[in-house]
């Protein structure tokens, strides 16, 4: 294992995430919401999927059903908005594009966070560079971010969490560049707050006397591999400052699921893009089902290579499903509809990807149905089909793949409090009369 890791020792990682992303997007285009308690609601204005810091201070919790708390929230002066998927998808694209100005190696982890490789920078300049990234995104995009910097993705993630916890003291940027600072942060990090360690593993570790990240980091990787598994051994090495995990390697219950890959050469043909999109819908669906979740929203992004002197076309969108689903083919239907809207002939695209968002727990004995197109029996059959597909593909790589795309009908969703789609619709721009 040591020999395999020798090439990773000079890596530097930064994790950049947007603070309360949905709420920040709403506040950006409506200054009256700045420093006010704001909540953003889910599909059909159901639950609170995003809560601003001011709303949290009033006791509003993420996931709370709006119909239960509406009266009290309005009495407290809470401002409410419906989810504006087109706006959030476009702001996410702009956020990622801005990060590409600082490094050619940017790996989007979710709709509002990304890992950025900063190899080759002097350690004593990294904190200033992190502040530069923070200021540039605030000035050019208008979004507030936090930046955690470390020698490994895991340490960068912990640095980002510490930047959130101690934001008033560090102004949103923390660099873990010494053993003293690393140990100080690890000692104050609960074992379950480590990237990639779930509740079950955390409970088992506590029975052995490991309650925080520092206690885990003081273990030897060889012992952890022998007594536990190779995944936990790699986490120990990451906490010790030896990078051995790529951002896409972590298997955890995520708030969003992303599947994307850059092409070996640029692609202009729509059918080839459609084939790649089908692959990513299937891959994202497999990840979703593996962690026992279902998705409410499907997003698609399409990008050219900004580092080539070619015409540029970078677009993204997001659309809600009629009801939560685990079905890869439903994701593909909605994703293909978006691809047809995003695609423009004559451009050489480098990357296409799918993001599944607003994830909730999938229960086998109960699920929400589409009033017009589904029955409980049909849904059980679809879930059985997905389970069989996953089993076959686990044994035979890509044994079952999408063969066709089923057309999707238009439908409308209740969004009583949606703000304007400021960045993607000309007809919703404000009009100044003088």
């Amino acid at each position: 294992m040591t020999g395999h890791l020798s090439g990773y020792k000079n890596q530097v990682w930064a994790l950049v995430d947007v603070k309360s992303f949905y709420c920040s997007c709403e506040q950006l285009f409506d200054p009256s919401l700045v420093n006010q308690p704001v909540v953003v609601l889910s599909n059909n204005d159901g639950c609170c999927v995003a809560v601003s810091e001011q709303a949290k201070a009033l006791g509003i919790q993420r996931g709370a059903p709006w119909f239960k708390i509406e009266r009290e929230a309005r009495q407290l002066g809470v401002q409410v908005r419906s989810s504006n998927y087109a706006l959030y998808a476009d702001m996410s694209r702009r956020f990622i594009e801005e990060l590409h100005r600082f490094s050619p190696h940017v790996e989007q982890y979710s709709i509002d966070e990304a890992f950025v490789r900063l190899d080759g920078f002097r350690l004593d300049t990294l904190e200033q560079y992190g502040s530069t990234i923070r200021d540039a995104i605030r000035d050019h995009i208008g979004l507030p971010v936090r930046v955690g910097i470390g020698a490994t993705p895991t340490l960068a993630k912990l640095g980002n969490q510490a930047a959130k916890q101690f934001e008033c003291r560090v102004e949103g940027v923390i660099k873990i560049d010494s053993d003293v600072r690393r140990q100080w942060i690890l000692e104050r990090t609960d074992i379950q707050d480590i990237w990639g360690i779930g509740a079950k593993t955390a409970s088992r570790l506590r029975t052995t006397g490991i309650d925080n990240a520092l206690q885990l980091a003081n273990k030897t990787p060889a012992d952890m591999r022998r007594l536990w598994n190779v995944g936990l051994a790699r986490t120990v090495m990451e906490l010790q400052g030896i990078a051995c995990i790529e951002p896409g390697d972590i298997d955890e219950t995520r708030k969003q699921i992303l599947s994307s890959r850059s092409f070996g050469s640029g692609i202009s043909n729509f059918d080839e893009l459609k084939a790649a999109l089908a692959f990513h819908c299937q891959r994202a669906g497999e990840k979703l089902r593996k962690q026992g979740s279902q998705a409410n929203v499907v997003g698609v992004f399409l990008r050219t290579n900004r580092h080539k002197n070619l015409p540029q076309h970078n677009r993204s969108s997001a659309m809600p499903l009629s009801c939560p689903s685990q079905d890869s083919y439903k994701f593909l239907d909605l994703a293909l509809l978006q691809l047809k809207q995003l695609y423009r002939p004559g451009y050489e695209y480098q990357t296409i990807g799918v993001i599944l968002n607003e994830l909730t727990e999938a229960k086998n004995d109960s699920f929400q149905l589409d009033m017009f197109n589904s029955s409980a029996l049909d849904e059980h059959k679809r879930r059985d089909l997905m389970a069989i597909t996953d089993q076959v593909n686990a044994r035979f790589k890509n044994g079952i793949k999408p063969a066709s795309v089923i057309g999707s009908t238009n439908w409308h969703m209740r969004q009583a409090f949606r703000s304007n789609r400021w960045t993607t619709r000309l007809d919703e721009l404000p009009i100044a009369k003088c």
Side-chain angles (χ1 to χ4, degrees):
M1 184 180 291
T2 303
H4 174 68
L5 297 171
S6 60
Y8 289 92
K9 293 182 179 179
N10 295 321
Q11 290 186 9
V12 179
W13 292 85
L15 178 65
V16 186
D17 85 312
V18 183
K19 294 189 288 185
S20 190
F21 179 62
Y22 286 7
C23 293
S24 293
C25 290
E26 297 291 346
Q27 290 169 332
L28 174 63
F29 291 95
D30 187 350
S32 68
L33 299 179
V34 175
N35 296 324
Q36 297 297 314
V38 179
V39 299
V40 176
L41 304 181
S42 63
N43 268 10
N44 296 306
D45 297 337
C47 301
C48 301
V49 294
V51 183
S52 70
E53 294 180 1
Q54 293 78 12
K56 289 178 184 176
L58 295 175
I60 307 296
Q61 297 182 352
R62 188 175 181 271
W66 178 243
F67 77 93
K68 288 186 176 181
I69 67 169
E70 180 177 6
R71 178 177 297 179
E72 180 183 0
R74 292 196 182 280
Q75 290 174 348
L76 294 172
V78 175
Q79 302 296 313
V80 59
R81 294 291 183 272
S82 301
S83 291
N84 192 337
Y85 302 113
L87 175 65
Y88 307 149
D90 190 60
M91 293 306 297
S92 174
R93 175 188 64 81
R94 294 169 186 243
F95 164 61
I96 299 300
E97 286 296 309
E98 186 67 19
L99 289 179
H100 275 287
R101 294 180 56 237
F102 298 93
S103 172
H105 191 157
V106 176
E107 298 194 35
Q108 186 171 4
Y109 187 64
S110 67
I111 193 171
D112 62 349
E113 62 182 328
F115 285 93
V116 182
R117 285 279 292 273
L118 301 177
D119 302 0
F121 283 82
R122 288 172 44 194
L123 290 177
D124 58 355
T125 65
L126 282 174
E127 196 159 7
Q128 180 181 354
Y129 199 63
S131 299
T132 301
I133 294 174
R134 176 202 62 199
D135 294 344
I137 294 173
R138 180 196 61 206
D139 296 341
H140 299 162
I141 310 298
L143 297 175
V145 301
R146 288 178 291 260
V147 183
I149 301 173
T152 70
T154 303
L155 288 177
K157 187 85 168 176
L158 293 182
N160 186 277
Q161 294 173 5
K164 177 180 180 180
Q165 185 177 359
F166 304 106
E167 187 165 4
C168 60
R169 294 165 54 185
V170 301
E171 297 183 343
V173 180
I174 280 188
K175 172 186 63 171
I176 303 177
D177 60 343
S178 67
D179 277 338
V180 172
R181 184 171 290 189
R182 178 181 66 86
Q183 292 176 12
W184 189 90
I185 289 177
L186 295 186
E187 188 176 11
R188 288 158 178 79
T189 301
D190 186 88
I191 191 67
Q192 195 170 332
D193 292 335
I194 301 173
W195 186 43
I197 293 185
K200 291 183 180 179
T201 301
S203 297
R204 292 178 59 200
L205 287 169
R206 292 187 202 281
T207 63
T208 66
I210 301 176
D211 296 311
N212 61 50
L214 182 60
Q215 292 170 334
L216 180 61
N218 288 335
K219 300 296 181 179
T220 62
D223 286 344
M224 298 308 291
R225 182 174 184 176
R226 177 172 54 85
L227 297 173
W228 292 79
N229 53 58
V230 66
L232 200 56
R234 294 167 70 192
T235 297
V236 170
M237 300 183 78
E238 289 261 325
L239 294 174
Q240 294 173 350
I242 303 172
C244 56
I245 296 177
E246 290 291 326
D249 292 344
I250 290 293
D251 181 19
E252 63 174 351
T253 302
R254 301 179 182 176
K255 297 178 182 178
Q256 300 97 10
I257 288 180
L258 167 74
S259 179
S260 174
R261 184 177 299 168
S262 296
F263 305 129
S265 58
I267 292 180
S268 301
N269 182 272
F270 178 84
D271 289 335
E272 292 183 48
L273 291 172
K274 185 173 75 171
L277 185 69
F279 169 81
H280 290 304
C281 283
Q282 183 176 18
R283 188 164 180 264
E286 290 173 351
K287 293 181 181 179
L288 182 81
R289 294 185 291 274
K290 185 176 181 181
Q291 73 173 32
S293 298
Q294 57 189 7
N296 284 275
V297 178
V298 179
V300 174
F301 58 88
L302 189 62
R303 300 183 186 133
T304 51
N305 190 343
R306 62 173 290 126
H307 300 289
K308 286 188 176 182
N309 187 22
L310 293 171
Q312 299 294 308
H313 185 254
N314 303 298
R315 291 292 181 268
S316 59
S317 67
M319 295 179 66
L321 292 153
S322 57
C323 57
S325 180
Q326 291 185 316
D327 194 329
S328 295
Y329 296 98
K330 290 183 179 180
F331 303 157
L332 179 55
D333 288 345
L334 204 56
L336 182 60
L337 181 62
Q338 295 176 71
L339 177 61
K340 291 177 179 178
Q341 298 171 350
L342 299 176
Y343 171 76
R344 295 291 182 274
Y347 291 94
E348 187 176 284
Y349 294 101
Q350 182 197 28
T351 306
I352 194 171
V354 173
I355 298 179
L356 303 181
N357 207 353
E358 286 196 24
L359 308 187
T360 56
E361 181 183 1
K363 298 179 180 179
N364 293 326
D365 55 347
S366 63
F367 37 79
Q368 181 179 340
L369 299 175
D370 185 331
M371 180 182 296
F372 302 103
N373 299 323
S374 297
S375 68
L377 180 60
D378 290 338
E379 186 63 24
H380 277 298
K381 288 181 177 179
R382 298 299 300 180
R383 293 197 177 192
D384 290 343
L385 174 62
M386 291 296 101
I388 293 172
T389 299
D390 291 344
Q391 292 172 10
V392 171
N393 288 338
R395 185 172 181 182
F396 307 101
K397 188 175 181 180
N398 294 326
I400 300 178
K401 295 181 287 188
S404 62
V405 178
I406 301 174
S408 178
T409 58
N410 292 327
W411 51 273
H412 300 280
M413 181 183 66
R414 178 163 57 89
Q415 292 178 299
F417 314 107
R418 181 182 60 78
S419 56
N420 284 0
R421 291 162 287 189
W422 306 103
T423 64
T424 58
R425 292 287 293 267
L426 288 174
D427 59 336
E428 295 185 9
L429 288 176
I431 299 175
K433 298 181 180 180
C434 56

